[in-house]
Amino acid sequence: MAAELHVELVAADRSVWSGEATLVVARTTSGDIGVMPGHQPLLGVLESGPVTIRTSEGGTVVAAVHGGFLSFADNKLSLLAEIAELADEIDVQRAERALESAKSEDDAVAERRADVRLRAVTGN
């Protein structure tokens, strides 16, 4: 069995995903970071961006995360997000409309949020 770490992705309003993984990639204020089993303990501030989780079963879980914190110690990674949703929960047409609306209203925060949601779905 490959080495694994336990991951908890939690939003302010719910538990989004929990399970075993071999790799988690997230965007922090210091840049993108990959966390694997045995990583040095860390604490970071999450930026808006997709979080990619490679599960122990060989699958991939992608979530759109908007702000929060991550903490890793003893092969346990906690991602505490202000807002988070799994890619398969995202309504693509709604996100596209939100992106267009944010652009027309020159709302950079809403534009970033819609862009992250679309990138989580498309993998870009």
Side-chain angles (χ1 to χ4, degrees), residues 38-103:
H39 195 285
Q40 290 285 74
L42 73 98
L43 180 62
V45 177
L46 289 170
E47 293 238 329
S48 290
V51 169
T52 303
I53 303 167
R54 298 260 165 77
T55 68
S56 297
E57 293 81 30
T60 301
V61 174
V62 180
V65 172
H66 308 283
F69 299 92
L70 69 83
S71 171
F72 181 77
D74 300 322
N75 276 336
K76 295 177 184 165
L77 179 65
S78 297
L79 298 128
L80 309 170
E82 293 172 25
I83 302 169
E85 55 192 323
L86 297 174
D88 60 5
E89 298 172 339
I90 296 171
D91 180 331
V92 175
Q93 287 82 19
R94 183 174 173 219
E96 288 170 342
R97 286 191 307 270
L99 180 60
E100 291 307 312
S101 175
K103 285 180 178 179

